[in-house]
Amino acid sequence: MQRVAVVTGGTRGIGFSITKTLAAEGYKVAALYHGNDEAAQKCAAETGAMVVKADVGDYAACEKACKEIAAALGPVSILVNNAGITKDGVLHKMPVENWHNVVETNLTSSFNMSHAVINGMREQNFGRIINISSINGQKGQFGQTNYSAAKAGLIGFTKALALESAAKGITVNAICPGYIATDMTAAMRPEVLDSIIKQIPVARMGKPEEIADLVAFLASEKAAFITGATMTINGGQYLT
Ligand code: CAA
């Protein structure tokens, strides 16, 4: 049976790699995206995924998108909450909207999406929810009070929902990537990024596919006993 997977922020960066990997493994994949239509069309052409434009910070938009996906592909069995943005800056200079934008897109989004699919998973007695947190939710990061708080929040969300869902065959896990070569890290000041790469024992940035392979494993039947876990994948930069 071909299971249906939804990947938020699934047309670019780590999310694109997740979409591509899950499609290659035989899942029917829907990738949510917010702004970049060109990247979405490219992703659809390359992976065969359904692409759906929606703001994951908007509860009603998530509900509508998930209904469209279920109608087109069937009930959702796998949800990857990957969509995320940065609006870095020190707290004493941070405009309040940069707090709200980041928390809504990186944390509230996981509530919105999980709420839209969880009853369908409970009916199937099967589900996989995989939340993409971050090394910076584990250790904190100068200039990222908003992002670190949202990503740390995602770890607590994961643990609580894992407890609520275990009896229904649904696993809920968090992955904490370190610094991965994507547009997000490419947008950092080069000297700041260089100083961070020097802190990585493996001496390089991670590749999006390295995160996608872990997602694919957690989505599989083989990972049925892993739930409520926080998986660290950061080249040794921060050891938990
Ligand atoms: N620890 C302590 N002090 C620091 C510091 C650090 N890590 N980084 C900078 N400072 C100090 C500076 O030395 C400077 O001190 P002085 O004023 O005494 O010279 C002061 O803080 C201001 O630093 P900046 O000049 O860098 O300040 P800025 O306002 O121009 O920039 C910033 C602030 C945008 C947050 C910048 O520091 C920055 O880009 N930091 C990196 C944030 C980061 O890692 N983002 C990750 C994005 S990728 C991602 O998030 C994906 C993921 O999950 C990993």
Side-chain angles (χ1 to χ4, degrees):
M1 185 196 59
Q2 259 191 304
R3 288 195 163 123
V4 176
V6 176
V7 184
T8 68
T11 63
R12 293 198 298 135
I14 294 174
F16 171 72
S17 253
I18 297 170
T19 296
K20 195 172 166 183
T21 301
L22 294 181
E25 294 218 347
Y27 294 94
K28 289 194 263 181
V29 186
L32 259 65
Y33 74 103
H34 188 212
N36 191 329
D37 295 314
E38 201 185 321
Q41 291 318 314
K42 213 167 149 229
C43 169
E46 196 174 328
T47 66
M50 173 182 181
V51 290
V52 181
K53 193 169 187 169
D55 176 357
V56 289
D58 177 340
Y59 180 81
C62 291
E63 219 180 14
K64 182 168 171 279
C66 289
K67 276 194 182 136
E68 269 173 46
I69 293 163
L73 305 180
V76 175
S77 301
I78 290 126
L79 169 64
V80 186
N81 287 310
N82 163 77
I85 56 168
T86 52
K87 289 194 188 263
D88 293 352
V90 289
L91 181 126
H92 60 273
K93 292 186 202 158
M94 186 180 289
V96 67
E97 59 270 23
N98 288 5
W99 170 266
H100 288 301
N101 287 168
V102 168
V103 170
E104 276 159 23
T105 304
N106 298 8
L107 176 61
T108 308
S109 55
S110 291
F111 171 82
N112 294 343
M113 290 298 295
S114 302
H115 203 252
V117 301
I118 195 87
N119 284 326
M121 290 180 178
R122 291 174 72 86
E123 278 162 24
Q124 293 170 60
N125 264 301
F126 179 87
R128 298 280 187 262
I129 298 180
I130 301 156
N131 298 317
I132 307 300
S133 176
S134 165
I135 184 175
N136 293 343
Q138 295 173 295
K139 72 168 187 58
Q141 170 60 37
F142 185 100
Q144 286 199 312
T145 50
N146 49 5
Y147 187 89
S148 297
K151 293 295 190 178
L154 216 36
I155 295 173
F157 174 82
T158 298
K159 291 178 180 178
L161 188 57
L163 293 175
E164 292 180 12
S165 307
K168 287 286 180 185
I170 303 165
T171 67
V172 188
N173 291 292
I175 297 178
C176 293
Y179 283 71
I180 309 297
T182 62
D183 290 350
M184 186 182 271
T185 45
M188 293 172 66
R189 288 215 309 261
E191 70 280 12
V192 176
L193 185 57
D194 285 349
S195 74
I196 287 173
I197 293 172
K198 288 197 181 86
Q199 299 162 23
I200 305 175
V202 168
R204 64 167 174 86
M205 295 177 81
K207 300 175 196 160
E209 311 85 81
E210 291 173 321
I211 307 302
D213 286 340
L214 180 53
V215 170
F217 178 70
L218 289 174
S220 73
E221 296 277 357
K222 288 180 186 165
F225 204 55
I226 304 175
T227 197
T230 304
M231 306 227 153
T232 294
I233 176 163
N234 63 27
Q237 186 186 346
Y238 182 70
L239 305 178
T240 55

